[in-house]
Amino acid sequence: MEEIELRELFFIVWKKKWLIVLITLISIIASAIISFFILPSEYETYTTLMVGKSKEYSGMNQGIEYNDVLLNKQLVSTYGELAKSRAVGQKVIEDLDLDMSHGAFSEKVNVSLVNDTEIIKIVVSHKDPEETAIIANKTAEVFMEEVKEKMKIDNVQVIDKALVPEGPVSPKPMLNIAIAAVLGIMISVFIIFILEYLDNTIKTPNDVEKHLGLPVIGMIPKTADK
Amino acid sequence: MSRYKIVTHYDPKSPIAEAYRTLRTNIQFSNFDKKLKSIVVTSAGPGEGKSTTAVNLAVSMAQDNKAILLIDCDFRKPQMHKYFATSNRAGVTNIIAEGMEQDLASTHIKDFKLDVLPSGPIPPNPSELLGSNRMKEFIESMENIYDMVIIDAPPVGVVTDASIISTYVGGVILVCGSGQAHIEASKHAKELITKVGGNILGVVLNKIPMNEGRYAAYSYQSYYGDSK
């Protein structure tokens, strides 16, 4: 293997700096166009529900019992699965007259349990901001009815109602452009090294001596006008 | 086209002219055992700067008060007459084919103190003409008259002409365009010449991009101050 100096590596890249500029610019412009004009905007909002009602606790003199909390915690995972169930999804779609399948719905609605708490979080992402909030609140509502109906207990309450989101969560044009810029630079440097590797021409006196075994008796600089 | 290409004459203080003078010196010292009287300039491929090298080498040698004859043996694409803006109606081919006198065919270029012999009319069989005994004898007779005979030839990797010439001249200069001459093609060119017993004096690395840092170490300094 021949040794390549760091300085030489730099000049290999520097020599083709226009290629880096070009490729990076193209990828930035492409990602900007895709982010601003092609990718649909997605809005996101969430509603949080808590398992366990204040009246349950307040009904007892000693306040919050440890067992109540423990019970509720165990219930939370059951409730979480219930919230994800097709029964809930189907009902929300029907009630809101949404034009989507259950599969599409479950992609948009994400039910998660906040760790070690009694809180269920329903996150909805959708292309229309107002509809996003409506779906979130409707899902919470249907879910609570469902709990009441199936479990015969009414111990779920809404903490935060879903708000209409102010701005889209995706696409993130600035992030996309930054990623495109970094990728553009990386790809162009990669291309430059590939080109350099594939370039099998004689460039320096060292190349002449190494490949031809002939002495270099003259080195003529390039004329400016040719 | 001639003005900027004959840099040794029009801009003798420039680094490029200095580079040609270094080449001249290197050639003078490359064969001190036997007296070198004739040189053929060739390259692996076209457009690497054979003719420009031949012309500038001839001019810088003439500046050294040597009697120089520059012959254009590129019968396929003759160019010498263009460099010196002379006629190509009579030349080497007339001498070899018709027995024309050399001093009728060649032109003395006063400004350059140099005799230039253009190719003449393009023959149908350049390789045979170059390989003929008359051609060899002609070059020998010229070696007796001049201090140095410099021959411009077609690319050796393309046609056989240059390797034929190399059999009866003192030395061969292989011009390689930097970033242009392919390694394999240049190796092949070297083989073609050495196979017929041609004496390669060395390589002239041409068109070195000087504004790039990696070549900075090779750049020439002008010993005469500013080139302008």
Side-chain angles (χ1 to χ4, degrees):
Chain A
M1 279 303 288
E2 60 185 298
E3 272 181 53
I4 303 176
E5 262 182 81
L6 194 64
R7 217 170 68 93
E8 212 158 299
L9 283 181
F10 175 75
F11 282 117
I12 287 169
V13 175
W14 183 249
K15 210 169 51 175
K16 296 203 169 75
K17 52 190 180 292
W18 54 268
L19 193 73
I20 299 182
V21 173
L22 193 76
I23 290 179
T24 310
L25 267 184
I26 287 172
S27 48
I28 286 174
I29 290 166
S31 78
I33 289 171
I34 290 169
S35 301
F36 283 114
F37 300 110
I38 295 173
L39 284 183
S41 298
E42 282 275 315
Y43 294 87
E44 197 176 270
T45 189
Y46 66 92
T47 174
T48 42
L49 306 169
M50 198 177 81
V51 178
K53 282 223 157 166
S54 49
K55 66 182 176 203
E56 282 176 32
Y57 300 138
S58 61
M60 294 164 217
N61 291 333
Q62 55 270 68
I64 302 169
E65 278 277 340
Y66 178 71
N67 282 341
D68 293 333
V69 178
L70 204 64
L71 175 71
N72 287 336
K73 265 193 191 168
Q74 278 163 349
L75 275 176
V76 161
S77 23
T78 315
Y79 286 5
E81 288 307 311
L82 192 61
K84 287 180 211 167
S85 71
R86 186 172 297 136
V88 173
Q90 216 68 51
K91 191 137 195 299
V92 174
I93 293 168
E94 274 166 30
D95 283 6
L96 292 177
D97 201 15
L98 292 173
D99 182 25
M100 59 173 85
S101 64
H102 176 69
F105 179 83
S106 57
E107 265 176 35
K108 289 194 155 66
V109 180
N110 203 344
V111 178
S112 60
L113 311 174
V114 184
N115 265 348
D116 277 336
T117 62
E118 305 158 41
I119 292 171
I120 296 169
K121 193 173 184 182
I122 299 171
V123 181
V124 179
S125 55
H126 191 58
K127 60 178 185 287
D128 183 89
E130 272 146 45
E131 215 170 304
T132 310
I134 293 169
I135 292 173
N137 287 327
K138 188 72 189 173
T139 309
E141 192 185 303
V142 171
F143 162 66
M144 284 159 73
E145 281 167 21
E146 206 53 26
V147 169
K148 224 181 280 178
E149 194 181 306
K150 295 246 161 62
M151 314 274 293
K152 311 289 181 219
I153 32 173
D154 178 18
N155 66 340
V156 184
Q157 58 176 336
V158 177
I159 303 175
D160 279 332
K161 282 198 79 161
L163 298 174
V164 176
E166 280 169 15
V169 287
S170 97
K172 296 189 177 76
M174 284 305 137
L175 183 70
N176 289 353
I177 287 169
I179 292 169
V182 171
L183 273 180
I185 290 169
M186 280 167 63
I187 289 168
S188 43
V189 168
F190 182 71
I191 288 173
I192 287 169
F193 282 119
I194 291 279
L195 285 178
E196 180 69 22
Y197 179 74
L198 294 176
D199 182 358
N200 58 348
T201 59
I202 290 171
K203 286 181 223 56
T204 64
N206 287 341
D207 294 340
V208 174
E209 267 146 41
K210 197 170 79 189
H211 297 291
L212 298 182
L214 292 172
V216 176
I217 54 170
M219 291 183 288
I220 315 297
K222 205 176 198 162
T223 44
D225 37 8
K226 199 184 172 185
Chain B
M1 73 183 273
S2 63
R3 265 197 91 81
Y4 70 85
K5 281 193 168 168
I6 314 181
V7 69
T8 40
H9 179 80
Y10 290 107
D11 196 2
K13 290 177 181 177
S14 68
I16 297 179
E18 181 60 35
Y20 282 116
R21 281 193 292 273
T22 309
L23 172 62
R24 176 187 73 191
T25 311
N26 286 346
I27 289 168
Q28 280 163 357
F29 284 99
S30 66
N31 251 28
F32 35 82
D33 277 351
K34 52 179 179 177
K35 197 98 174 79
L36 187 68
K37 296 287 279 183
S38 55
I39 289 173
V40 60
V41 180
T42 188
S43 65
E48 295 190 41
K50 293 175 297 295
S51 303
T52 308
T53 305
V55 167
N56 281 289
L57 180 61
V59 169
S60 69
M61 281 181 166
Q63 285 167 347
D64 203 20
N65 292 319
K66 295 272 165 41
I68 305 296
L69 176 65
L70 181 60
I71 307 178
D72 191 351
C73 280
D74 188 344
F75 295 151
R76 300 166 200 262
K77 205 181 155 200
Q79 293 205 311
M80 275 311 101
H81 60 285
K82 292 183 191 165
Y83 279 80
F84 298 98
T86 58
S87 158
N88 194 27
R89 286 179 60 189
V92 197
T93 52
N94 301 86
I95 294 170
I96 306 304
E98 299 163 13
M100 189 189 258
E101 287 297 311
Q102 178 262 328
D103 36 340
L104 286 176
S106 62
T107 315
H108 181 73
I109 316 283
K110 237 180 167 179
D111 287 353
F112 299 91
K113 294 183 246 165
L114 180 73
D115 285 355
V116 175
L117 179 56
S119 72
I122 296 169
N125 48 351
S127 308
E128 286 157 43
L129 196 136
L130 288 169
S132 66
N133 282 326
R134 286 184 77 152
M135 183 70 196
K136 288 175 206 171
E137 284 158 17
F138 171 66
I139 298 295
E140 265 170 41
S141 63
M142 289 302 108
E143 285 177 346
N144 293 329
I145 300 172
Y146 291 93
D147 291 325
M148 181 67 85
V149 177
I150 295 171
I151 300 170
D152 184 33
V156 67
V158 181
V159 286
T160 179
D161 300 11
S163 50
I164 291 171
I165 300 168
S166 74
T167 58
Y168 51 77
V169 296
V172 181
I173 291 175
L174 192 61
V175 178
C176 287
S178 173
Q180 180 184 10
H182 285 265
I183 290 165
E184 287 311 314
S186 304
K187 275 184 183 168
H188 184 59
K190 179 196 169 187
E191 258 173 47
L192 286 172
I193 296 165
T194 47
K195 217 160 58 184
V196 295
N199 169 32
I200 301 178
L201 300 174
V203 170
V204 171
L205 193 60
N206 199 18
K207 302 182 188 179
I208 302 175
M210 279 302 164
N211 49 351
E212 282 166 29
R214 68 192 289 196
Y215 301 101
Y218 309 120
S219 68
Y220 289 90
Q221 297 297 316
S222 175
Y223 302 121
Y224 306 101
D226 212 49
S227 63
K228 293 286 158 191

